[in-house]
Amino acid sequence: MIKNFKPQRLLNANYRQLQTRASEKPSFKTELSSNDYISTLCRQNLFREALQAFDFMQSKTHFHLNPSTYAHLISACSSLRLLQSGRKIHNHMMETNFQPDIILQNHLLNMYGKCGSPESARNVFDKMVERNLVSWTSIIAGYSQNHQEMDAIDMYFRMSRSGILPDHFTFGNMLRVCSGLGDVELGRQFHAAVIKSEYRLERIVQNALVAMYTKFNRIDDALVLFNRISRKDTVLWGSMVGGFAQQGFPVEALQLFKDMLSMGGLCPNEFLFGSVFSACGSLFQLEYGKQLHSLSIKFGLGKDVFAGCSLSSFYAKCGSLYSAKMAFCQIQNPDLVAWNAITAGFAYSGDVNEAMKCFSHMRHSGFIPNEITILGLLCAVTSPTTLNQGLQVHSYLIKTGLNLNVRICNNLLTMYAKCSDLSKVFCNFEEMKNDVDLVSWNAVLTACLQHNQVNEVFRLLKFMHSSQYKPNEITLCNVLGACSSLASLEMGNQIHGYAMKSGLENEILVTNGLIDMYTKCGALESARNLFDVMRSPDVVSWSSLIVAYAQFGYSDEALKLFETMKSLGIEPNHVTYVGVLSACSRVGFIEEAFHHYRTMESDYGIIPTMEHCSCIVDLLARAGRLEEAENFINQMQFHPDSIVWKTLLAACATQKNVKIGKRAADGILKLDPSSSAAHVLLCNMYASTGSWEDVATTRTLMRSRNVRKVPGISWIELRNQVHAFMVEDRSHPKISEIYMVLGELQLHMFEAGYVPN
């Protein structure tokens, strides 16, 4: 231990001396001294100082560099990702007629690839008289690093045809190419090639294989490979932990990280901590994340940019915004990614003011916001109260030209839709003109559906169909939602036909949309037939059908479906239990309903919502147990809404319980003094008990409050046209014929024994 000891003070002194020498304006007497000086700075990792020295010498004198100095400078540009400096050094070679050998050309290939210019790398490669394995691997790596996977594959096969066999570096790059393409079959072919080669035990190849399978979401395959590797390094653990975290297995990610720490001998890096912070955020495990935060500080990563970004995002997801801010402030040199992370953290948490402050500080710190910044910021604008901030962001986009970015424009459409400004949605959609894509069409269709502009959905669908973009599963879900809103079975059948012709019928989203549409249009048999031919119905499919059976009074069938669903291992959600409790309410299964209500949280972690409570109130009220229903309302964990009170009031009116009915009406009127339903139900209740003075008082109160009963509307669809009717409506052009038929029906009713109430 003493033998390897180097006093830190001495190291710091040497470092300061080198920095001082680099900052001075040197006067080189010979080319040899200039080459030695630059090479020394590079060997000490003082890359910026070395490049400054090169610039100074180039401005003062015409000088030559030797191959090793060029190699050091190009490597410095690679490390710092400085493309312009790399080009300058390359130009210096050509200006001085220096002929680089194959080693130096390979350095250039590597530099251009890492600096994001694969075109320049290809230009160097094409001019090379001689190429070796390093040359081919470098150009492949350049394409891989810059997401030009098809070019990388083309170069790999050209290399194979030239007779050069790949090594572990080549295989590592090609496996990353397969990951980038998401091509599982190609990845398996390269895996087979690795097994046949002599490099299957090389660590670079093993790490790349594990990383590839995790990105393919083949966690089981990755885990098999991982377990077979006897000597695991930090990179391998990081790939596996990161794979679990990214693919939705946060518990497994944290367990694997714990296993790594328990083995000892390995020091977790910033990427590992980034993955485990992300896993904690997915689980909302604030306390566990705090422990990991302390551990990261212990390993000296408390100020690291990558770990700090994930840590800040974790705290924001868990609602600890102050800690998120403190974690960000601890980062030594936050980059644009770090600023985006903290801004998005506040945005996703709904704190639009803090998100805007971060956005402002980022700009004042000299960073130029990019697409990711804006997309994160727009997520914070979700209601009319935040529209002003959304308008500010929109103004910034116009000033900087980012409003021409299609992805950002699509998010603007969604933002204005959330802020209840449909006119802005249409205005921005029109301004996009030829830049719209399929996402744009779906965004504006969704906005129309959210604002109950159902006719606009059908109008836009016609325009979209005549454009170059054809409806996808998202489009059809929106249109089916519009059909459900209008209860338009004929239009729904046409959309079903289109889905079959376009091959979208088997998409789970479309099938669920069709089931929902058929149930809301009263075509329960069609919904069941569609459900029965589904290959793998999910919880949404089951829930839609259970709720529909409950609403149409087929309670036994709804409860039977629920038991079948559980027996198949499909976990119910909160919508499923709304259907189950409604079914129990219709047939008066009080004990069974309370059993489901009590066990939904213990068995499936579903916390009762207002909808579930409404079902219980309806159940008790239908059974005539009005006092129990009222007690249940008073004991709820949250304040009852008007629907709960209306349910109780309607039952009181039916059963003529004025005492509880008055309290229920008071509960409604406290929430909504202008509720016409509460006043009308109260009048009906008083009238049924002969309390005519109370009826008169209630009607006087309605007039004083300007409360008017909203007339009910019925409609029927006939030959693609919807006909709507209100009480005593005489506006229909064929009203005389309609009333003639009604008169005939009334006669038939009297003949059948009908007696008016």
Side-chain angles (χ1 to χ4, degrees):
M1 184 173 178
I2 296 174
K3 183 179 178 181
N4 295 326
F5 177 75
K6 291 183 180 180
Q8 189 64 37
R9 188 178 300 174
L10 181 60
L11 288 174
N12 291 340
N14 290 339
Y15 184 77
R16 282 196 299 271
Q17 185 180 5
L18 281 168
Q19 282 190 316
T20 304
R21 285 173 57 195
S23 61
E24 294 173 352
K25 292 183 178 179
S27 57
F28 299 105
K29 295 180 180 179
T30 64
E31 288 183 357
L32 180 61
S33 64
S34 64
N35 280 276
D36 288 344
Y37 181 75
I38 292 174
S39 296
T40 301
L41 290 172
C42 289
R43 280 193 291 269
Q44 296 294 331
N45 293 330
L46 297 173
F47 299 131
R48 292 189 185 278
E49 291 80 359
L51 292 170
Q52 287 170 6
F54 169 78
D55 289 338
F56 176 75
M57 287 184 286
Q58 189 184 31
S59 65
K60 294 296 180 182
T61 180
H62 185 74
F63 68 99
H64 294 275
L65 296 181
N66 58 40
S68 64
T69 308
Y70 274 127
H72 278 122
L73 285 170
I74 294 168
S75 297
C77 296
S78 299
S79 299
L80 298 174
R81 304 293 194 268
L82 295 176
L83 178 61
Q84 293 305 317
S85 297
R87 289 193 194 282
K88 193 185 295 182
I89 293 160
H90 190 187
N91 290 335
H92 187 270
M93 288 184 195
M94 292 187 288
E95 288 169 3
T96 56
N97 293 321
F98 178 83
Q99 297 299 320
D101 58 12
I102 190 170
I103 296 174
L104 201 51
Q105 288 174 320
N106 290 342
H107 275 292
L108 285 168
L109 291 175
N110 181 57
M111 181 271 296
Y112 279 126
K114 286 184 176 177
C115 291
S117 182
E119 301 82 9
S120 300
R122 182 61 181 268
N123 189 39
V124 172
F125 181 84
D126 289 340
K127 292 178 181 177
M128 291 176 71
V129 178
E130 181 188 356
R131 303 179 187 121
N132 59 12
L133 177 59
V134 178
S135 313
W136 287 99
T137 302
S138 297
I139 191 67
I140 289 169
Y143 282 129
S144 172
Q145 290 158 0
N146 292 280
H147 310 293
Q148 296 184 16
E149 285 84 3
M150 297 309 299
D151 291 310
I153 292 171
D154 177 61
M155 295 304 290
Y156 176 82
F157 286 114
R158 283 185 59 186
M159 181 189 82
S160 300
R161 287 193 295 269
S162 70
I164 296 177
L165 296 176
D167 66 357
H168 50 295
F169 294 107
T170 318
F171 279 127
N173 279 296
M174 290 311 299
L175 291 169
R176 280 188 283 275
V177 165
C178 297
S179 300
L181 285 174
D183 193 328
V184 180
E185 286 307 312
L186 185 62
R188 290 193 179 280
Q189 290 177 36
F190 274 106
H191 189 177
V194 167
I195 293 171
K196 292 177 183 178
S197 74
E198 60 185 287
Y199 303 109
R200 62 184 180 278
L201 299 178
E202 288 289 340
R203 190 168 292 178
I204 289 175
V205 176
Q206 291 176 332
N207 290 345
L209 279 168
V210 171
M212 178 187 74
Y213 281 116
T214 58
K215 287 180 181 175
F216 287 157
N217 202 12
R218 301 292 183 98
I219 293 292
D220 291 338
D221 292 337
L223 196 57
V224 168
L225 278 171
F226 179 81
N227 290 331
R228 286 177 181 172
I229 299 170
S230 55
R231 296 178 61 191
K232 302 177 178 70
D233 61 2
T234 306
V235 175
L236 186 62
W237 283 99
S239 295
M240 202 66 227
V241 172
F244 273 125
Q246 291 164 11
Q247 301 300 336
F249 300 98
V251 175
E252 290 80 357
L254 293 172
Q255 182 59 51
L256 203 64
F257 181 70
K258 185 179 177 182
D259 293 342
M260 187 197 90
L261 293 177
S262 63
M263 290 180 65
L266 289 176
C267 180
N269 57 19
E270 65 274 23
F271 304 110
L272 264 164
F273 274 109
S275 296
V276 293
F277 287 142
S278 175
C280 287
S282 300
L283 294 169
F284 302 101
Q285 288 288 337
L286 182 60
E287 289 305 316
Y288 196 69
K290 285 181 177 179
Q291 294 176 34
L292 289 170
H293 184 186
S294 301
L295 193 64
S296 69
I297 295 171
K298 182 180 177 181
F299 281 106
L301 296 170
K303 298 181 179 180
D304 180 79
V305 175
F306 189 88
C309 285
S310 299
L311 179 63
S312 183
S313 297
F314 150 72
Y315 277 126
K317 280 184 181 179
C318 292
S320 185
L321 300 182
Y322 177 78
S323 297
K325 205 169 188 177
M326 290 300 99
F328 175 77
C329 291
Q330 289 297 313
I331 299 174
Q332 202 161 32
N333 293 303
D335 56 9
L336 182 59
V337 176
W339 279 106
N340 285 346
I342 187 66
T343 305
F346 282 117
Y348 291 130
S349 299
D351 196 333
V352 65
N353 292 323
E354 281 296 330
M356 292 294 288
K357 284 180 185 177
C358 287
F359 178 65
S360 180
H361 289 320
M362 177 202 305
R363 292 168 58 203
H364 288 309
S365 299
F367 292 97
I368 300 174
N370 61 7
E371 178 184 344
I372 296 171
T373 318
I374 303 302
L375 293 177
L377 199 59
L378 290 174
C379 291
V381 185
T382 57
S383 66
T385 57
T386 58
L387 179 59
N388 185 46
Q389 287 92 333
L391 292 170
Q392 292 177 40
V393 176
H394 195 174
S395 298
Y396 172 81
L397 296 176
I398 295 170
K399 288 178 183 177
T400 56
L402 283 170
N403 62 318
L404 302 177
N405 183 304
V406 177
R407 194 176 171 196
I408 289 176
C409 286
N410 292 339
N411 277 266
L412 279 172
L413 296 176
T414 304
M415 180 201 77
Y416 281 122
K418 288 178 180 177
C419 293
S420 301
D421 197 336
L422 198 57
S423 61
K424 282 280 187 183
V425 175
F426 285 125
C427 182
N428 279 276
F429 185 71
E430 289 292 332
E431 287 178 0
M432 291 173 71
K433 295 181 181 178
N434 296 327
D435 293 326
V436 297
D437 59 8
L438 186 56
V439 178
S440 316
W441 282 102
N442 286 338
V444 74
L445 285 169
T446 303
C448 291
L449 190 61
Q450 287 171 348
H451 292 275
N452 295 319
Q453 297 294 319
V454 180
N455 292 326
E456 284 296 319
V457 174
F458 296 122
R459 185 182 69 84
L460 285 167
L461 180 66
K462 291 180 181 178
F463 284 120
M464 178 184 179
H465 202 266
S466 61
S467 72
Q468 59 177 313
Y469 298 103
K470 301 306 173 189
N472 65 355
E473 60 271 23
I474 306 295
T475 317
L476 293 189
C477 282
N478 281 315
V479 179
L480 288 169
C483 296
S484 300
S485 298
L486 285 177
S488 176
L489 182 59
E490 190 168 343
M491 179 63 77
N493 283 327
Q494 291 181 32
I495 300 300
H496 191 175
Y498 177 84
M500 293 174 69
K501 288 180 182 178
S502 59
L504 292 171
E505 186 190 21
N506 294 326
E507 291 288 338
I508 191 74
L509 281 174
V510 175
T511 310
N512 288 340
L514 285 166
I515 290 174
D516 182 66
M517 180 272 298
Y518 280 127
T519 58
K520 287 180 179 174
C521 291
L524 198 55
E525 187 177 351
S526 298
R528 183 58 188 263
N529 291 337
L530 191 58
F531 176 83
D532 288 338
V533 297
M534 287 180 73
R535 293 178 183 175
S536 301
D538 61 5
V539 64
V540 177
S541 321
W542 286 93
S543 299
S544 296
L545 207 56
I546 289 169
V547 170
Y549 273 122
Q551 288 175 342
F552 283 94
Y554 298 101
S555 300
D556 290 336
E557 190 64 33
L559 295 172
K560 195 183 296 182
L561 269 176
F562 178 62
E563 294 302 324
T564 305
M565 171 186 171
K566 288 196 298 181
S567 68
L568 293 173
I570 299 172
E571 289 194 3
N573 61 14
H574 72 283
V575 177
T576 319
Y577 272 102
V578 169
V580 170
L581 294 175
S582 297
C584 292
S585 176
R586 294 297 176 97
V587 290
F589 289 169
I590 296 176
E591 294 303 321
E592 187 173 350
F594 270 98
H595 169 73
H596 290 307
Y597 181 80
R598 284 191 296 267
T599 58
M600 59 191 280
E601 185 172 1
S602 59
D603 290 353
Y604 299 105
I606 301 171
I607 300 171
T609 64
M610 189 69 75
E611 289 178 289
H612 301 121
C613 293
S614 295
C615 292
I616 295 295
V617 172
D618 183 56
L619 170 78
L620 293 170
R622 282 173 182 266
R625 295 158 68 165
L626 299 177
E627 288 186 7
E628 290 181 53
E630 186 181 20
N631 290 335
F632 181 84
I633 292 172
N634 293 329
Q635 292 171 7
M636 288 189 334
Q637 295 179 352
F638 28 70
H639 293 293
D641 61 4
S642 59
I643 295 174
V644 173
W645 286 119
K646 284 175 185 176
T647 303
L648 182 60
L649 179 57
C652 290
T654 303
Q655 297 173 36
K656 303 177 183 179
N657 191 319
V658 178
K659 185 179 178 181
I660 297 177
K662 281 183 178 181
R663 291 197 289 267
D666 287 340
I668 299 170
L669 296 175
K670 282 179 183 177
L671 296 169
D672 183 11
S674 61
S675 171
S676 60
H679 289 93
V680 171
L681 284 169
L682 206 55
C683 278
N684 293 342
M685 184 177 64
Y686 288 140
S688 65
T689 57
S691 302
W692 302 111
E693 289 184 8
D694 291 325
V695 172
T697 303
T698 305
R699 287 180 174 171
T700 303
L701 188 64
M702 287 179 70
R703 284 193 293 271
S704 67
R705 290 177 175 176
N706 198 25
V707 176
R708 293 186 179 181
K709 183 178 182 294
V710 179
I713 300 176
S714 300
W715 65 87
I716 186 171
E717 184 182 4
L718 188 65
R719 298 189 186 92
N720 274 339
Q721 186 176 358
V722 176
H723 302 268
F725 302 93
M726 290 191 296
V727 177
E728 298 181 358
D729 188 359
R730 294 186 176 275
S731 61
H732 197 278
K734 295 189 177 182
I735 194 64
S736 57
E737 297 173 46
I738 292 170
Y739 273 102
M740 188 183 297
V741 174
L742 282 174
E744 292 179 8
L745 288 173
Q746 194 174 33
L747 288 174
H748 287 301
M749 288 167 63
F750 287 132
E751 289 173 4
Y754 168 72
V755 178
N757 187 352

